[in-house]
Amino acid sequence: MISTQTEFVGIAFDRMTMAVTEAWLSERAPEAPFAFVITPNVDHVVKLDAAPPDAEIRKAYAAAALRLCDSRIVAKLARMRGVDLPVVPGSDLTAHLVTGIARAGDRICLIGGDAAMLSDLRALRPDLDFVQHVPPMGMLRKPEAMAEAAAFVRDARARFTLLAVAMPQQEILALRVAQAGGAIGIGLCIGASLDFLTGRKARAPLWMQKASLEWLHRLSSEPGRLWRRYLIEGPRIFLLTMRWRKPS
């Protein structure tokens, strides 16, 4: 794997393009010990900064095999401070994995979603072996539920595991799977990416994505759920950028 890391706003980002990332996913041995990938966006950066120094989410970020910049806004702010971050949108990476990187016969483990989502994925790629575990809401506050989900990932023996239970649950679950040992393959912390892939939610038009306005499209689509994230919490990224000091 060809990768260099650079620190920005407290995260050691891997400076890998989409093509290099896809090659790594494709070439990694299916039986290799479990490793996981995270794709921080503005919301993740802000939440991570607010977490206590010893928080488990910080340990998850430190333990990830790859930390890829999901956000064009984060990348632009980094560029203003002299840091070059390639953008690897998590939704695109998930789509490329399911529709192209995964090979016929591969087992894909899905944590999250519902029965309809599993059906949609099987229709999309009938040549893949999908297995699914749907944990209860608030899994992070339920030790037995977290342990059950981690055991499912371990026992699935999947080449790829899609963790679709939102930040920070998905990253902490990935950490616990890795720490427990016995699991194989690659885990991707994907949030709502499968909603876009299966057509449940519409992504922003390409011009809005390129203009760093995908957040506006999502806000207008789900204002009741997302107004606080984008209008109250998200703008803190500008303060974090101003406070950040480039390592000497």
Side-chain angles (χ1 to χ4, degrees), residues 23-229:
W24 181 77
L25 292 173
S26 180
E27 295 167 5
R28 191 171 189 268
E31 296 292 326
F34 182 83
F36 61 97
V37 177
I38 58 178
T39 53
N41 58 27
V42 169
D43 183 53
H44 299 166
V45 171
V46 170
K47 287 180 177 177
L48 187 68
D49 178 75
D54 61 346
E56 196 170 12
I57 184 59
R58 290 187 178 275
K59 297 175 183 177
Y61 264 66
L66 295 178
R67 290 160 293 272
L68 307 168
C69 179
D70 172 87
S71 168
R72 289 180 173 84
I73 291 177
V74 172
K76 287 182 177 180
L77 292 173
R79 194 175 304 117
M80 291 171 57
R81 299 302 309 273
V83 176
D84 179 30
L85 289 181
V87 178
V88 181
S91 294
D92 292 340
L93 184 61
T94 301
H96 295 175
L97 186 149
V98 173
T99 62
I101 297 172
R103 298 189 289 264
D106 281 344
R107 172 164 286 188
I108 310 295
C109 173
L110 171 60
I111 304 297
D114 53 26
M117 178 172 287
L118 181 63
S119 179
D120 288 342
L121 290 171
R122 285 174 171 166
L124 185 65
R125 283 293 305 268
D127 58 330
L128 298 179
D129 177 18
F130 287 99
V131 295
Q132 182 187 36
H133 173 72
V134 182
M137 295 291 289
M139 176 177 62
L140 192 57
R141 299 186 299 275
K142 302 172 182 177
E144 291 184 359
M146 286 290 285
E148 184 179 4
F152 188 89
V153 174
R154 179 198 64 212
D155 296 341
R157 309 293 291 175
R159 184 181 179 206
F160 298 111
T161 295
L162 304 178
L163 301 158
V165 288
M167 193 268 195
Q169 290 188 130
Q170 58 195 17
E171 290 83 3
I172 291 175
L173 176 58
L175 173 66
R176 294 188 186 181
V177 171
Q179 289 176 332
I184 63 170
I186 300 170
L188 276 78
C189 300
I190 65 168
S193 295
L194 292 178
D195 287 331
F196 301 121
L197 178 60
T198 58
R200 291 187 172 196
K201 296 179 181 179
R203 286 196 69 182
L206 189 58
W207 72 266
M208 292 189 78
Q209 295 180 40
K210 291 183 176 180
S212 303
L213 292 175
E214 192 163 9
W215 67 271
L216 182 59
H217 179 270
R218 293 201 65 189
L219 176 60
S220 63
S221 300
E222 301 179 83
R225 187 174 74 87
L226 298 177
W227 71 270
R228 184 174 183 84
R229 176 191 300 183

